Amino acid sequence: MEVKGTTQVYGLIGNPVSHTLSPMLHHALAESEERNMVYVPFLVEGNLPDAVKGAYELGIQGMNVTVPHKNQVLDSLVEVDHLAKALGAVNTLVRVTGGYAGYNTDIIGLRRALLEEGITIAGETIVILGAGGAGRGAAFMCANEKAKKVYLLNRTYEKAEEIAKQVNLYNGSEVVVPLQLSSYATIEESSYIAIQASSVGLSNPEQVILEEEEFYERVQVGYDMVYKPFETKFMKLVESKGKKAYNGLKMLLYQGVASYELWNSCVIPEEVSTSLYDKMKMQI
Ligand code: ATR
């Protein structure tokens, strides 16, 4: 990518940002579309409102936002998409008059990834493992996609309870049922789609949030939001029962694609996403 006087600048703000795959992803998309843009990771350790204001004044066209700024950034935006607002988390800033508008493409990415793996949410029973930021997004997405029931399991019950209250209030239903992780056996349904949304396994690939065979016997299909290692322990446990399991790399891909599409008001062809996925796979 040749940097010229007209090159458009995009970026990522977070802490840390050093291990991100996003520059590779966005440069590949820009190349496929013959757009002259650069995507730069910016480490923001201190004053987030000043960083957002400075980015706008410097003419930065769009930004991704990652941990730990996804929640706090809402206070620095001129508009927030309704679902991102309800969720309280923004990962994409789109430049508009006077500032940035915020969106959450993590949940768009999860929805697209599940759809592509042939996993339907509407009318299904879903079990989400973990009630941190990732579990919260998954719960909002599943309720929004008209799941029949969503069990949100967490080691700390109160966190699952708080998310369930918020999602149910937003949806005007009782679709999300919070559960203590160890109470998984009380789930009434004989089978369910399982989404692994905890951080267990990230630092130690031999660890998994639940080991118990009885849990996996009822899993129809498993989706792990973690993508490193490529085959997680959760996936192995699902597969040991003869069922399919997927990792979170497609979620990462599609959150990036969705951000790029929002920034450029375009639609990325499926074959571009497929070849980009292969490229990302080689990087992890
Ligand atoms: P993220 O934003 O990536 O979801 P997070 O907010 O730190 O990260 O949440 C991590 C999730 O992993 C939480 O659901 C956490 O459970 P608690 O709320 O009880 O802390 C879960 N988690 C992390 N380590 C765990 C462990 N050893 N056993 C069970 N759950 C664990």
Side-chain angles (χ1 to χ4, degrees):
M1 187 73 63
E2 189 196 346
V3 178
K4 304 188 262 194
T6 53
T7 301
Q8 294 198 318
V9 182
Y10 291 79
L12 166 71
I13 50 178
N15 182 12
V17 290
S18 53
H19 294 101
T20 177
L21 286 176
S22 293
M24 186 272 266
L25 190 155
H26 288 288
H27 287 148
L29 291 173
E31 202 173 305
S32 78
E33 290 233 301
E34 297 181 357
R35 256 177 234 271
N36 188 254
M37 66 169 261
V38 290
Y39 182 101
V40 189
F42 296 107
L43 177 70
V44 176
E45 291 177 308
N47 191 319
L48 180 66
D50 280 1
V52 174
K53 199 164 182 290
Y56 184 78
E57 296 304 332
L58 286 170
I60 293 182
Q61 295 297 309
M63 308 264 269
N64 281 133
V65 182
T66 190
V67 212
H69 302 314
K70 286 186 188 188
N71 313 114
Q72 208 203 319
V73 77
L74 268 86
D75 299 334
S76 303
L77 305 176
V78 291
E79 286 168 36
V80 183
D81 162 74
H82 69 100
L83 193 54
K85 195 176 200 168
L87 183 61
V90 155
N91 81 323
T92 302
L93 308 189
V94 176
R95 190 180 178 87
V96 293
T97 309
Y100 293 102
Y103 296 83
N104 190 303
T105 70
D106 289 328
I107 53 177
I108 298 174
L110 176 62
R111 187 177 57 77
R112 277 204 208 176
L114 293 174
L115 201 70
E116 190 167 297
E117 307 299 11
I119 304 171
T120 318
I121 299 294
E124 299 290 336
T125 300
I126 319 289
V127 174
I128 299 171
L129 299 172
R136 181 188 206 87
F140 264 93
M141 189 280 288
C142 290
N144 215 40
E145 292 297 307
K146 309 270 180 288
K148 187 168 127 205
K149 205 168 201 181
V150 180
Y151 290 97
L152 182 60
L153 274 62
N154 204 41
R155 177 179 60 178
T156 313
Y157 174 76
E158 291 71 24
K159 278 163 95 179
E161 194 183 30
E162 193 240 310
I163 295 173
K165 263 191 204 154
Q166 286 187 354
V167 181
N168 290 340
L169 190 67
Y170 181 71
N171 274 273
S173 71
E174 291 300 314
V175 64
V176 181
V177 178
L179 263 190
Q180 170 70 46
L181 185 62
S182 54
S183 303
Y184 67 88
T186 64
I187 293 173
E188 290 161 14
E189 286 78 358
S190 56
S191 77
Y192 39 72
I193 295 166
I195 300 178
Q196 201 301 110
S198 83
S199 53
V200 186
L202 266 179
S203 50
N204 182 351
E206 292 312 310
Q207 284 182 350
V208 65
I209 186 163
L210 264 184
E211 296 257 11
E212 285 79 355
E213 289 220 358
E214 305 86 75
F215 175 81
Y216 293 94
E217 273 158 9
R218 294 203 260 161
V219 174
Q220 286 166 38
V221 59
Y223 192 89
D224 198 333
M225 290 167 82
V226 172
Y227 58 85
K228 204 176 179 175
F230 200 71
E231 171 93 1
T232 64
K233 180 145 187 212
F234 169 80
M235 290 167 66
K236 285 182 189 156
L237 286 166
V238 172
E239 285 162 353
S240 74
K241 299 292 167 203
K243 298 293 164 50
K244 287 206 162 149
Y246 304 92
N247 68 28
L249 192 62
K250 281 205 175 146
M251 177 181 170
L252 179 70
L253 164 74
Y254 286 118
Q255 66 74 32
V257 167
S259 294
Y260 186 95
E261 289 177 340
L262 280 170
W263 292 330
N264 295 300
S265 306
C266 66
V267 177
I268 294 295
E270 207 43 59
E271 58 272 21
V272 173
S273 296
T274 308
S275 84
L276 182 49
Y277 177 76
D278 294 338
K279 216 168 171 179
M280 289 167 78
K281 209 168 150 182
M282 286 191 299
Q283 302 273 324
I284 58 168

